[in-house]
Amino acid sequence: MALYKFTLLLHSGFRYIVMVLLLLAVLQAFAGWLGQKEYTEGNRKLNLFALISAHTQLLIGLVLYFVSPFVVFAKETMHDAQARYWTVEHISMMIFAIVLITIGHSKSKKETLPESKHRTIAIFYTLAIIVIVVAIMQSKRAFFGMSN
């Protein structure tokens, strides 16, 4: 149970780093896109750190997935809303969000025009944030604070 508690606290706390980096990347991308600014090395690094933090959060979440008492691999899982959420819905939505972030980052690297790079990050990272927020809200837990 100690591994579960530690991993839960790590996963719960690390989400703030992920969200801050994603929000900063999106704000910077919209400002660059709408303000027709250059795509700088600072933009690239922030977008990359947001990507890395999201992937790190996924790895922590995968450890948590396999040690959590809320994840249930049984026939009855789909009939229990809480078990279904933690076993299927949460991980599916989060993987989808990380796929959006990864695609956005990859497509942005291939773009040549600065506004295209900014636009790609703005769109894909914003969609990912929406998916993440919806997934957290569906858990019926407080968005702010630590899970226990």
Side-chain angles (χ1 to χ4, degrees), residues 9 21 38 43 46 48-49 52 55-56 64 67 75 89-90 95 108-109 116 122 136 139-140 144:
L9 286 172
L21 288 171
E38 283 299 312
N43 295 128
L46 178 58
L48 179 62
F49 291 150
I52 291 169
H55 281 85
T56 302
L64 184 59
V67 299
K75 198 169 21 174
E89 296 168 4
H90 183 78
I95 288 173
S108 150
K109 287 183 358 182
S116 297
I136 292 171
S139 73
K140 297 181 178 54
F144 297 103

Side-chain angles (χ1 to χ4, degrees), residues 86-148:
W86 292 113
T87 306
V88 179
E89 296 168 4
H90 183 78
I91 192 169
S92 298
M93 291 177 77
M94 294 305 183
I95 288 173
F96 180 63
I98 290 171
V99 166
L100 288 170
I101 293 166
T102 305
I103 290 170
H105 185 75
S106 179
K107 287 178 70 78
S108 150
K109 287 183 358 182
K110 293 176 185 173
E111 297 289 347
T112 54
L113 298 175
E115 64 261 10
S116 297
K117 289 179 177 291
H118 288 302
R119 181 183 64 238
T120 302
I121 292 294
I123 292 169
F124 280 91
Y125 282 31
T126 298
L127 290 173
I129 289 172
I130 292 168
V131 172
I132 291 168
V133 169
V134 168
I136 292 171
M137 288 172 48
Q138 281 187 332
S139 73
K140 297 181 178 54
R141 293 184 175 189
F143 190 79
F144 297 103
M146 298 292 279
S147 299
N148 48 10

Side-chain angles (χ1 to χ4, degrees), residues 26-99:
V26 164
L27 290 173
Q28 195 175 64
F30 272 109
W33 176 22
L34 300 175
Q36 297 180 342
K37 297 180 181 175
E38 283 299 312
Y39 188 83
T40 66
E41 183 64 12
N43 295 128
R44 187 192 69 76
K45 285 181 180 177
L46 178 58
N47 298 336
L48 179 62
F49 291 150
L51 171 92
I52 291 169
S53 72
H55 281 85
T56 302
Q57 180 73 333
L58 174 65
L59 293 175
I60 297 166
L62 286 173
V63 172
L64 184 59
Y65 185 78
F66 289 105
V67 299
S68 172
F70 295 108
V71 174
V72 180
F73 299 105
K75 198 169 21 174
E76 300 79 28
T77 298
M78 297 309 278
H79 300 289
D80 177 2
Q82 183 181 22
R84 182 182 62 243
Y85 174 77
W86 292 113
T87 306
V88 179
E89 296 168 4
H90 183 78
I91 192 169
S92 298
M93 291 177 77
M94 294 305 183
I95 288 173
F96 180 63
I98 290 171
V99 166

